[in-house]
Amino acid sequence: MEPKASVLIITYNQEDSIGRAIESVLAQDCPYSYEIVIGDDASTDGTRAICEDYSRRYPGIIRLMPEAPNKGLVDNYFGCLAAARGEYVADCAGDDEWGDPRRLARQVEYLDSHPDDVAVISDWSIIRGAEEANVRDIAGYKPYLRHNNGREFMIRTLGCMGHFPLLSAMLYRREALVRILRDNPRQVKRREWGCEDLPVIAALGSEGDIGYLPLKASKYMVGDSTASNSDNAAHLFDFYVKAANCVMDLSSIYGIDQHIISAGLRARVNYLATLALRADDPARCEKFQQLCDRMYGILGFKGRLYRRSMSRPIARRLLRIIKRLR
C-alpha cells in the first residue's frame, strides 16, 4: 500500500543534527501511513552512516536515497521528490526538526477535507541558541495566519521583507508539483537559483489556494551549518544573491509586475549590500552590481548608491565605516 504522505529529509554534513531531525519525524503521532525519504548529498562527515543506521532500524518507513556524487540542494530535493510515493509531501532540513507531534496527522486531515486547497501551512519557530521566536508573534507574518488565495500568497512571498512561510512547515499535494515539473520543469527547478523553497511555493500558489492550521509545525535552527542560516557573510551572500535572482525570474514567469514587489526587492538589495561589504570580495561586489542592473528601474536612492560604491575600494571602506558608526 502506498503511504499517505512522504516526508523528505534533505541533508549534507549534518552529523550533529541529522539524528534529531529524523527522530522528530518518527515521533509523529499519526494514524496515516507515511514514509521518510532521506537525501544525503555525499556528506563527508558521519551523516551518511547515521542515516544508514536509521534506514536499517526502520526499513518499513525510511528510504535512504542511493549514494551518489554531490548534486547540490536543488537536485537533491527534486530527486527525493521524484522518489516520493505519498499523496502529500512535507520536508525537514537535516539541521532542523519538527514541532507538534500531531502536525502530520492534522495537516493530512486538513487537505483531505479541503480538496480545493493545494497545500496547508502552519506556524514555525526560529531557534538561535537558547532563544526561540514563534513567527506568529512577528508583525510582518500576520497576513499568512489565515486561508490564502494562491496568487496573493505567491506575490506576498516573493515580495516579502522578512519571514515567509517555511516549506518544512507546509504539507502539499504531490501531484500538483509533479504536474508542473513534467510540463515545464524550469518553472520550478533551476540549479542557478540555489534554492527549492521559493520556486516550490510560487508553483503551488499558481495551482490553487493555501490553507492554514495554527500549530507549530517546525523549528528552524539558526547557526553556521547551511548556506541559508550561516553566520558567514560570504556564504550568506552567495545564497541570497541567487535567491534574489530567483525572485526576479519567478516574477517574470508568473507575470508579476516588479513594482508590486519592489519593497521586498529593495530590502534584499540592502541586505546583500551589507553582506558584500562584510565579505569585501571584488567578485561578489560584481555579482551585486549585476543584480542591481537587473532591477535598476525599482532601486531606491540607497540601492543605487550601493551599486555605484561597490566598484570602488575606497567607497566600500567608507560605507563600512558609516555602517559601524550607526
Side-chain angles (χ1 to χ4, degrees):
M1 184 177 68
E2 298 292 359
K4 184 72 169 179
S6 298
V7 182
L8 316 182
I9 296 184
I10 309 302
T11 186
Y12 173 71
N13 282 358
Q14 293 164 329
E15 62 180 358
D16 293 335
S17 60
I18 184 61
R20 185 182 68 237
I22 295 171
E23 289 285 355
S24 74
V25 179
L26 288 171
Q28 287 293 299
D29 177 13
C30 184
Y32 309 101
S33 62
Y34 68 95
E35 65 174 356
I36 300 173
V37 181
I38 303 177
D40 168 51
D41 199 16
S43 293
T44 57
D45 61 1
T47 299
R48 187 162 191 90
I50 296 171
C51 293
E52 288 173 340
D53 178 57
Y54 273 98
S55 181
R56 284 191 296 267
R57 289 160 54 196
Y58 298 92
I61 299 177
I62 295 177
R63 289 193 292 133
L64 177 60
M65 295 290 284
E67 195 166 7
N70 184 270
K71 297 178 287 187
L73 172 62
V74 173
D75 284 353
N76 191 19
Y77 183 90
F78 288 105
C80 289
L81 178 63
R85 300 172 300 172
E87 179 181 356
Y88 305 131
V89 175
D91 70 55
C92 181
D95 60 342
D96 295 339
E97 62 183 271
W98 278 12
D100 192 327
R102 288 280 296 162
R103 167 252 171 96
L104 187 58
R106 291 187 60 194
Q107 287 187 329
V108 166
E109 289 164 0
Y110 179 93
L111 288 183
D112 275 353
S113 60
H114 294 79
D116 293 332
D117 286 353
V118 74
V120 57
I121 59 168
S122 292
D123 308 328
W124 51 281
S125 58
I126 305 163
I127 311 292
R128 183 185 288 274
E131 298 179 359
E132 179 173 356
N134 194 316
V135 292
R136 283 185 60 85
D137 301 322
I138 298 174
Y141 198 79
K142 300 298 184 184
Y144 292 109
L145 305 180
R146 58 176 175 79
H147 187 271
N148 285 263
N149 170 272
R151 185 165 177 83
E152 291 176 0
F153 180 87
M154 178 205 305
I155 293 172
R156 185 182 303 115
T157 299
L158 294 181
C160 78
M161 298 177 64
H163 301 292
F164 60 84
L166 198 67
L167 188 57
S168 64
M170 175 184 287
L171 185 74
Y172 62 85
R173 299 184 190 277
R174 180 170 62 91
E175 178 54 32
L177 193 58
V178 169
R179 183 168 56 250
I180 295 177
L181 281 165
R182 181 183 60 241
D183 297 339
N184 189 5
R186 282 184 58 79
Q187 182 175 331
V188 186
K189 177 185 174 184
R190 298 190 193 182
R191 291 178 182 173
E192 64 267 26
W193 286 341
C195 65
E196 83 294 359
D197 52 355
L198 282 170
V200 167
I201 288 171
L204 292 171
S206 73
E207 288 289 295
D209 291 350
I210 314 294
Y212 169 72
L213 271 178
L215 60 89
K216 188 168 69 176
S218 187
K219 300 178 182 180
Y220 180 73
M221 307 298 178
V222 177
D224 197 35
S225 57
T226 65
S228 64
N229 59 18
S230 170
D231 289 324
N232 183 297
H235 292 170
L236 281 170
F237 178 88
D238 292 343
F239 180 84
Y240 283 108
V241 75
K242 291 178 181 178
N245 278 296
C246 174
V247 170
M248 296 290 289
D249 291 336
L250 290 172
S251 66
S252 177
I253 289 171
Y254 294 106
I256 300 170
D257 188 332
Q258 290 173 8
H259 288 85
I260 297 176
I261 58 174
S262 59
L265 289 172
R266 286 196 291 267
R268 288 179 179 272
V269 166
N270 293 339
Y271 178 56
L272 283 165
T274 299
L275 295 175
L277 289 169
R278 284 170 53 195
D280 195 22
D281 173 65
R284 291 184 171 90
C285 291
E286 183 177 353
K287 286 184 178 180
F288 175 80
Q289 289 179 301
Q290 291 170 352
L291 173 66
C292 289
D293 289 342
R294 287 196 69 186
M295 57 177 69
Y296 194 79
I298 59 172
L299 284 182
F301 171 78
K302 186 184 293 186
R304 295 180 183 181
L305 176 63
Y306 282 140
R307 181 197 172 281
R308 290 176 60 86
S309 301
M310 285 300 167
S311 62
R312 300 173 176 83
I314 293 177
R316 294 201 299 269
R317 285 197 294 271
L318 179 59
L319 281 175
R320 280 196 295 273
I321 292 171
I322 293 172
K323 281 182 169 292
R324 282 197 295 267
L325 292 175
R326 292 177 61 184

